[in-house]
């Protein structure tokens, strides 16, 4: 419950400290895991002082225990060791300090650490952080490489020397951080985030020259794994180890077996690229030469054709054929016209011979009544009727006599 206070009636410092101590006392004893960063065993003192730190976050807490409690694990526990402590939180009111009073200390074994890492690995895998489709491709020729490594370490030297030997113009932005111990995780995470925030950094390499399982624990920390998974810049894991695989290898976009291997995979070799360019140039030259030769042969074959060597020959041959066909057409037309003329002459002669006019010219006449009908029977006319007689040269009137 919140304490009642106002600006007019504030709580004294002692009262606030007493209330905090009361709240802390209600917590009771707890099991706490962390890494020992400071250890003080004064000769003759009955109390041992140590500092327990969370390796994933920049948080520490003071721990005190009786000498006999620490002596039970003194042979296997020292600075840098991971331990599990059963302790009760205590509040030292005069100074306003929180500490833990340890009743039992247990070292965390390698087997237990590996089991926890396996559980964390399965949990992160279910979230899809290790999926292949999340991997980002590395640029062919990075202009600026971010390098996260230990200060003056062999890993830094291997990456820089091998990369510059392969491509002398490559540039690096180096972040020197602790790569083991309690300060490793937060500083490595900060360095990765700083490099990822820069637009000119094309790829980030996290390098370390191997080590024991305990030394490599920072590179399996969940905070670091999630920070790398959120990077928009491709990340290369270059932890020099073979038997063990930290979780950084699984979440990184590319895993290199050693820092030297990372330099080879991140930066192309200028000699190899020059040789590749030379081979491609020779191949292109051969392709162009083969194409030109093929086209020249095709052109020569086309020029060897008679139609190309003597283009007028075909025209002359066709002209002779046209002349022959023209003469043949004229003869055929003339023959048809002559035959038609002969037929027309014979038809005209027959028509003239059979026409009434020819009959009239032979002395015959045609009698027509007043209505124009020809008289064919004497019984068709009456005595005294006037008829019209038509002869070859004209016509005249006649009267029918009884």
């Amino acid at each position: 419950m919140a304490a009642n206070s106002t600006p007019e009636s504030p709580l004294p410092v002692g009262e606030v400290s007493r209330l905090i101590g009361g709240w802390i006392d209600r917590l009771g004893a707890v099991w706490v895991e962390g890494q020992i960063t400071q250890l003080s065993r004064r000769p003759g003192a009955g109390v041992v002082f140590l500092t327990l730190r969370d390796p994933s976050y920049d948080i520490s807490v003071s721990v005190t225990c009786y000498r006999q409690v620490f002596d039970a694990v003194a042979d296997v526990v020292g600075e840098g060791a991971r331990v599990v402590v059963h302790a009760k939180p205590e509040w030292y009111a005069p100074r306003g300090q929180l500490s833990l009073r340890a009743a039992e200390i247990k070292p965390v074994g390698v087997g237990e650490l590996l089991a926890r890492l396996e559980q964390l690995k399965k949990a992160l895998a279910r979230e899809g952080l290790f999926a292949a489709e999340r991997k980002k491709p590395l640029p062919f020729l990075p202009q600026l490489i971010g390098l996260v490594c230990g200060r003056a370490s062999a890993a830094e030297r291997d990456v820089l020397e091998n990369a510059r030997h392969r491509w002398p113009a490559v540039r690096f932005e180096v972040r020197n951080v602790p790569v083991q111990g309690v300060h490793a995780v937060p500083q490595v995470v900060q360095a990765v985030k700083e490099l990822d925030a820069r637009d000119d950094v094309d790829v980030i390499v996290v390098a370390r020259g191997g080590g024991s399982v305990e030394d490599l624990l920072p590179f399996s920390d969940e905070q670091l794994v999630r920070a790398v998974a959120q990077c928009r810049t491709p990340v290369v894991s270059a932890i020099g180890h073979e038997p063990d695989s930290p979780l950084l290898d699984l979440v990184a976009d590319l895993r290199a077996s050693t820092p030297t291997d990372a330099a080879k995979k991140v930066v192309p070799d200028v000699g190899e690229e020059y040789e590749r360019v030379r081979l491609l140039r020779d191949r292109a030259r051969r392709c162009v030469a083969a194409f030109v030769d093929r086209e020249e042969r095709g052109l020569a074959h086309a020029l060897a054709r008679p139609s190309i060597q003597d283009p007028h020959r075909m025209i002359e041959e066709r002209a002779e054929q046209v002349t022959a066909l023209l003469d043949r057409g004229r003869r055929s037309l003339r023959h048809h016209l002559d035959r038609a003329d002969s037929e027309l002459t014979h038809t005209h002669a027959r028509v003239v011979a059979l026409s009434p006019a020819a009959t009239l010219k032979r002395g015959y006449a045609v009698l027509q009544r007043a209505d124009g009908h020809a008289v064919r029977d004497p019984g068709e006319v009456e005595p005294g009727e006037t008829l019209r007689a038509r002869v070859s040269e004209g016509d005249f009137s006649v009267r029918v006599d009884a």
Side-chain angles (χ1 to χ4, degrees), residues 263-275:
K264 294 180 180 179
K265 291 183 176 180
V266 172
V267 180
D269 184 84
V270 64
E272 294 178 358
E273 297 305 318
Y274 178 80
E275 181 65 17

Side-chain angles (χ1 to χ4, degrees), residues 68-84:
Q68 57 269 26
V69 174
F70 187 81
D71 288 344
V73 293
D75 295 337
V76 293
V77 169
E79 289 189 3
R82 281 178 174 261
V83 295
V84 175

Side-chain angles (χ1 to χ4, degrees), residues 33-35 37-38 51-62 82 178 181-190 193 221 223-224:
E33 180 184 354
Q35 189 172 16
T37 58
Q38 292 181 356
T51 301
L52 201 62
R53 185 181 185 88
D54 188 332
S56 299
Y57 301 92
D58 192 14
I59 299 175
S60 301
V61 64
S62 298
R82 281 178 174 261
V182 294
H183 302 286
V185 173
Q187 294 198 30
V188 171
V189 170
Q190 181 181 359
K193 290 183 177 179
D221 188 86
Q223 184 184 3
L224 176 59

